[in-house]
């Protein structure tokens, strides 16, 4: 569907194919009356060749392009999010295979180190082959978001480890994952629309998550601190998770997912290294590869390198990076609610593998409640949504400098439009930047 006035509408109806997959789209052109006086139909037809039509249009700011995109969640989005859920849930099993000696904060540092080392070749490959990856690092705002995401991830994990010194693991896990509450509050205070299914579903899921956490077997605390203090520290960690999701959601349109995940974990590894060395959360370990050393995960032992490799490649590579990749299809609130299902997925994996017993009645009721709430939030996020995007400025850049492989103003749009790698000739001399498909 295209609307315009005068002969400048020539070829505009075919511009609807500007975006590929990801939903239906239309483009609407509006042409100023003063432009019609300067460029009558005869002149437009005469200057149609070699971009003669579009260049004066854009130079005079006489063409306004509005893209209407209907966004839906494809099948691959559902496959990624559930694969990420079960891969992340297996972290608890891998953690149990680590022998005695290292503290929780040291294991946290090992985890970031292992992910950074194993994803570094992919990060380097993206820098050499993907123009989007290289150009994104020239933006200062991208670095701010990267640092914020890394700090949020490290802060959440550190608060969880610190809370275990004062409260039970069940309480620490429950309060450390109250991220949906904070994201809902952000939407309310930010004046953003809040759907009924989102609000009801998140509330029900949180209640179910609390029942699951409180029905866990009792465990003694690791220290003599106040449980209320431990619960408060764990709750602070959920704020770090919210910052992590929101920052990654902003970055998701700027660079490939594996490149983004590798950089965030590399920065988080630096933060965790400084935290461990500072001694704020415990004695500083030795700077060696001993079993309790700062680089102990590289030891060629079953409970060190093999476990670290599994955590980096499966629990984080498929799990954490899968959730990050899903920010392309789901809002952060949906991801945070799905993460609440990890105890249920972990229990299911344990029962199937014979490592855990079937849950009791209270745990089953909490799990069903949590699943119902999560289903409501996911259902609200999966509904088709229509967005209007002003693409006038975005279109002018690749037309005036068609040689540029990446659209410079892509970060100004709420939808990732990827690389503008070539141009396609349209009838009547209308030349527009062409794209293989909307990501």
């Amino acid at each position: 569907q295209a609307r315009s006035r005068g002969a400048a509408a020539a070829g505009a109806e075919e511009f609807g194919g500007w975006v590929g997959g990801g939903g239906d789209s239309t483009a609407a052109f509006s042409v100023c009356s003063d432009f019609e006086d300067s460029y009558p139909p005869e002149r437009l037809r005469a200057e149609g060749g070699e971009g003669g039509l579009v260049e004066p249009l854009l130079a005079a700011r006489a063409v306004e392009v509005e893209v209407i995109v209907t966004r839906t969640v494809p099948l691959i989005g559902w496959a990624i999010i559930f694969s990420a859920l079960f891969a992340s849930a297996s972290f608890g099993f891998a953690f149990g295979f680590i022998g005695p000696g290292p503290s929780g904060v040291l294991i946290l540092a090992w985890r970031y180190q292992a992910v950074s080392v194993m994803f570094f070749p992919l990060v380097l490959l993206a820098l050499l082959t993907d123009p989007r990856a290289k150009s994104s690092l020239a933006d200062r705002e991208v670095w701010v978001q990267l640092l914020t995401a890394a700090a949020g991830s490290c802060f959440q994990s550190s608060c969880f480890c610190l809370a275990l010194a004062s409260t039970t693991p069940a309480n620490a896990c429950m309060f450390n994952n109250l991220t949906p509450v904070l994201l809902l509050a952000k939407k309310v205070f930010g004046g953003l629309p809040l759907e009924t299914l989102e609000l009801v579903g998140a509330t029900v899921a949180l209640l179910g998550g609390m029942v699951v956490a409180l029905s866990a077997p009792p465990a003694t605390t690791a220290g003599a601190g106040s449980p209320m203090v431990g619960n408060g520290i764990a709750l602070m960690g959920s704020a770090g998770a919210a910052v992590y999701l929101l920052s990654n959601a902003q970055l998701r349109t700027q660079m490939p997912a594996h490149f983004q995940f590798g950089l965030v974990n590399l920065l988080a590894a630096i933060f965790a290294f400084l935290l461990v060395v500072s001694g704020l959360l415990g004695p500083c370990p030795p700077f060696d590869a001993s079993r309790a050393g700062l680089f102990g995960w590289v030891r060629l032992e079953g409970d060190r390198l093999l476990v670290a490799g599994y955590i980096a490649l499966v629990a984080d590579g498929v799990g954490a990076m899968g959730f990050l990749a899903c920010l392309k299809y789901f809002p952060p609130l949906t991801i945070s609610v799905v993460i609440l299902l990890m105890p249920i997925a972990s229990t299911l994996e344990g029962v199937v593998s014979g490592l855990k017993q079937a849950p009791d009645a209270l745990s089953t009721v909490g799990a069903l409640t949590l699943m119902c709430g999560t289903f409501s939030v996911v259902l609200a996020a999966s509904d088709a949504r229509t967005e209007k995007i002003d693409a006038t400025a975005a279109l002018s850049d690749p037309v005036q400098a068609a040689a540029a492989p990446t659209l410079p103003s892509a970060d100004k749009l709420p939808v990732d439009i990827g690389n503008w790698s070539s141009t396609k000739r349209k009838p009547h001399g209308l030349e527009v930047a062409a794209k293989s498909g909307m990501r």
Side-chain angles (χ1 to χ4, degrees):
Q1 175 186 357
R3 301 189 306 273
S4 64
R5 293 161 45 197
E13 64 274 10
E14 298 195 15
F15 194 72
W18 173 48
V19 288
D24 301 327
S25 59
T26 60
F29 287 74
S30 61
V31 184
C32 301
S33 58
D34 57 345
F35 180 82
E36 295 183 26
D37 299 334
S38 303
Y39 290 89
E42 295 78 8
R43 185 175 179 182
L44 289 173
R45 287 192 292 268
E47 298 183 1
E50 299 300 326
L53 170 63
V54 175
E55 291 181 5
L57 281 170
L58 295 173
R61 303 298 296 175
V63 168
E64 297 176 358
V65 182
E66 183 183 77
V67 181
I68 303 175
V69 180
T70 301
R71 305 182 63 179
T72 57
V73 180
L75 181 61
I76 186 64
W78 297 107
I80 292 175
I81 195 170
F82 284 108
S83 299
L85 172 63
F86 283 94
S88 295
S90 66
F91 174 78
F93 293 107
F95 184 84
F97 283 101
I98 299 178
S103 63
V105 178
L106 181 57
I107 295 176
L108 167 66
W110 287 356
R111 179 181 184 180
Y112 286 128
Q113 291 174 20
V115 174
S116 302
V117 170
M118 295 184 183
F119 272 80
F120 182 76
L122 296 178
V123 172
L124 185 60
L125 181 63
L127 277 175
L128 297 176
T129 59
D130 195 326
R132 269 204 312 161
K134 187 176 181 180
S135 62
S136 63
L137 297 184
D139 190 345
R140 180 181 301 178
E141 182 64 24
V142 168
W143 281 105
V144 172
Q145 297 291 351
L146 284 172
L147 290 169
T148 305
S153 175
C154 188
F155 182 75
Q156 181 199 17
S157 302
S158 301
C159 286
F160 178 78
C161 295
L162 188 59
L164 290 176
S166 304
T167 187
T168 62
N171 284 352
C173 182
M174 178 181 65
F175 285 101
N176 200 237
N177 287 283
L178 289 181
T179 312
V181 176
L182 302 180
L183 294 177
L184 284 173
K186 179 183 179 298
K187 293 188 70 173
V188 171
F189 290 107
L192 299 176
L194 186 63
E195 297 186 13
T196 304
L197 275 178
E198 286 182 334
L199 179 59
V200 175
T203 304
V204 172
L206 287 170
L207 292 176
M210 291 180 181
V211 173
V212 171
L214 295 177
S215 63
T220 58
T221 60
S226 172
M228 292 298 296
V229 174
N231 295 340
I233 295 175
L235 180 60
M236 291 171 57
S238 64
V243 170
Y244 171 81
L245 289 173
L246 293 172
S247 298
N248 275 310
Q250 295 293 326
L251 289 170
R252 190 59 192 90
T253 61
Q254 307 297 319
M255 57 187 68
H258 62 279
F259 182 72
Q260 175 182 347
F261 183 72
L263 286 180
V264 170
N265 278 272
L266 178 60
L267 295 172
I270 297 175
F271 291 150
F273 176 84
L274 296 175
L275 186 63
V276 172
V277 172
S278 67
L280 293 176
L281 300 183
C284 177
F287 283 73
D288 55 25
S290 61
R291 291 186 59 83
L294 191 56
F295 309 103
W297 67 274
V298 301
R299 294 178 64 88
L300 296 176
E301 300 177 4
D303 64 343
R304 289 297 185 266
L305 186 59
L306 291 180
V307 173
Y310 177 86
I311 291 175
L313 297 178
V314 179
D316 280 334
V318 178
M321 191 179 73
F323 284 130
L324 184 148
C326 283
L327 290 171
K328 171 181 176 180
Y329 309 109
F330 300 97
L333 176 62
T334 303
I335 303 297
S336 66
V337 173
V338 172
I339 291 176
L340 293 175
L341 292 174
M342 285 179 58
I344 299 177
S346 179
T347 301
L348 181 61
E349 292 173 346
V351 171
V352 172
S353 62
L355 298 176
K356 285 187 177 182
Q357 297 180 351
D360 56 17
L362 182 60
S363 297
T364 302
V365 171
L368 292 176
T369 305
L370 174 57
M371 292 173 64
C372 291
T374 304
F375 177 76
S376 300
V377 176
V378 172
L379 184 64
S382 63
D383 290 341
R385 300 186 181 187
T386 301
E387 298 180 3
K388 293 183 179 181
I389 306 169
D390 183 6
T392 307
L395 180 62
S396 63
D397 289 332
V399 173
Q400 295 178 355
T406 306
L407 181 62
S409 56
D411 61 324
K412 305 302 182 184
L413 300 178
V415 175
D416 177 19
I417 56 180
N419 296 331
W420 298 68
S421 57
S422 60
T423 57
K424 181 185 295 185
R425 182 69 56 191
K426 292 295 183 181
H428 309 287
L430 180 63
E431 179 178 272
V432 298
K435 183 187 180 302
S436 59
M438 172 170 279
R439 292 196 183 99

